[in-house]
Amino acid sequence: MQRRHFISAVAAAAAVSVSGMAVAQDTRPLRIIVPFPAGGSTDMVPRNLQDVLGKLLGQPVIVENKAGAGGSIGMAEVARATDGLTFGIATLSTHGVNPAVYTKLPYNAIEDFVGVTEIVKAPGVIVINPKLIPAKNFAELVAYLKANPGKVSYATPGNGTIGHMWGAQFIKATGVGMLHIPYRGAGPAINDVLGGQVPVYFDQVASSLPHIQGGKLRAIAVSWNERLAVLPDVPTYKEAGHPELNDPSWFGLVAPKSTPAETVARVQKAVAEALKDPAVKKRMDAQGMYISGTSSADFTKQIASEVAKMKSVAASANISVN
């Protein structure tokens, strides 16, 4: 009897509670790979969650940046992991755009991963340097571009990036002509827009927001279902007459396909709980991100849907990366 009691006590001590659910505890560090450089929108998401998530899981949470090749290097490392402790921050770029535009990709966005949860949605924004283009709103920008066909350029972090796809969608929807200027990363791209070398940029609100609020960039429209609290004077694409451009970006958590289902469920529930933390929500809101917390099944289906959608956009705009 005493031996049974001892075993029960050990089992109870080896569990933690996530929102009332007893789950097996693993005190080894959980690793989240960010497939883009530190300091960007993708990097903000897990770092906003890191401390709270670690407390809920009862184990350290380590965030590592493995940047390169449009997120492909980091995602390939996640796909190869077999330790059951490695996760990755998936984005519309890594699990939508990349499979649509790269002729060779070191991972399969659908077959190599299981979706854990969509963490946040991130509205996109088209911004201009107001010193270069006099437009005050969407209609004026389109009119200016049509009056100067092929003379206005737009910057993106590179060929086949989400900025490139958003630019292609904008051009198709409005019938304007613009010259695409691909950079080697978001940092150099936005620096040249701020510096006056390129007048237009397609970005996520989170990374452009400080420059918009500081008056260095003018936001023309956002991809969201309603006006953003952080940019209340900026209309949505739907308000501007183009609901087809209103889809936001997103950030989520994925795991290698081999990750045990119970581990996926445990982490998904912990992330959902962490997103309820007032401090986490406040940080996300301030950065122009909107918390989600979907189920694993729903996020896995979402990834497949995004890949199909982006393949259609890439084919229409003849976008591919070797």
Side-chain angles (χ1 to χ4, degrees):
M1 181 67 72
Q2 289 180 338
R3 184 173 182 272
R4 286 199 300 271
H5 286 166
F6 173 76
I7 293 173
S8 297
V10 170
V16 293
S17 177
V18 177
S19 193
M21 180 190 74
V23 292
Q25 184 175 5
D26 191 333
T27 57
R28 295 174 298 168
L30 183 146
R31 183 171 65 138
I32 299 178
I33 291 179
V34 177
F36 294 100
S41 301
T42 313
D43 187 57
M44 294 177 189
V45 174
R47 295 192 190 279
N48 284 340
L49 292 170
Q50 189 174 8
D51 291 342
V52 176
L53 188 59
K55 291 175 183 177
L56 287 166
L57 290 171
Q59 65 189 114
V61 173
I62 298 172
V63 177
E64 295 182 11
N65 298 89
K66 299 281 185 177
S72 299
I73 291 175
M75 274 300 125
E77 183 168 337
V78 176
R80 292 191 299 265
T82 58
D83 57 8
L85 294 164
T86 299
F87 294 75
I89 296 295
T91 71
L92 181 54
S93 292
T94 64
H95 284 69
V97 177
N98 285 2
V101 302
Y102 277 82
T103 55
K104 295 179 181 179
L105 198 62
Y107 64 89
N108 186 301
I110 297 174
E111 296 180 4
D112 291 346
F113 303 91
V114 57
V116 179
T117 183
E118 180 187 73
I119 301 172
V120 292
K121 289 190 181 296
V125 62
I126 177 174
V127 295
I128 63 173
N129 184 319
K131 294 181 180 179
L132 300 180
I133 294 181
K136 299 291 195 301
N137 54 50
F138 189 93
E140 289 183 7
L141 174 61
V142 171
Y144 182 88
L145 295 174
K146 287 186 174 181
N148 297 276
K151 296 179 182 179
V152 179
S153 57
Y154 72 98
T156 74
N159 282 317
T161 59
I162 185 57
H164 189 186
M165 302 295 268
W166 279 343
Q169 288 176 296
F170 175 85
I171 289 169
K172 181 180 179 180
T174 58
V176 301
M178 283 198 293
L179 177 65
H180 175 219
I181 307 294
Y183 285 79
R184 299 188 66 177
I190 198 166
N191 283 341
D192 267 13
V193 176
L194 291 167
Q197 281 73 43
V198 186
V200 182
Y201 189 49
F202 292 88
D203 197 13
Q204 290 163 350
V205 169
S207 47
S208 277
L209 187 60
H211 307 299
I212 297 168
Q213 292 174 329
K216 295 180 180 179
L217 297 178
R218 176 175 294 142
I220 299 298
V222 296
S223 55
W224 196 238
N225 58 356
E226 60 186 10
R227 295 200 180 196
L228 305 177
V230 291
L231 294 173
D233 297 326
V234 181
T236 67
Y237 278 110
K238 184 177 180 180
E239 286 181 273
H242 290 280
E244 71 274 25
L245 301 177
N246 228 38
D247 290 339
S249 184
W250 46 262
F251 299 94
L253 196 67
V254 293
K257 203 78 166 187
S258 61
T259 306
E262 59 270 23
T263 300
V264 172
R266 181 171 75 94
V267 174
Q268 187 278 331
K269 286 179 170 57
V271 172
E273 189 69 16
L275 289 172
K276 297 176 184 177
D277 185 276
V280 170
K281 185 178 185 304
K282 184 178 180 179
R283 286 195 295 271
M284 296 291 196
D285 287 349
Q287 293 164 355
M289 300 180 187
Y290 295 82
I291 59 175
S292 182
T294 59
S295 70
S296 172
D298 284 347
F299 189 46
T300 301
K301 291 177 183 176
Q302 178 181 332
I303 289 170
S305 175
E306 295 286 11
V307 170
K309 183 193 304 180
M310 287 300 151
K311 283 185 176 181
S312 176
V313 174
S316 176
N318 194 29
I319 298 173
S320 65
V321 181
N322 293 323

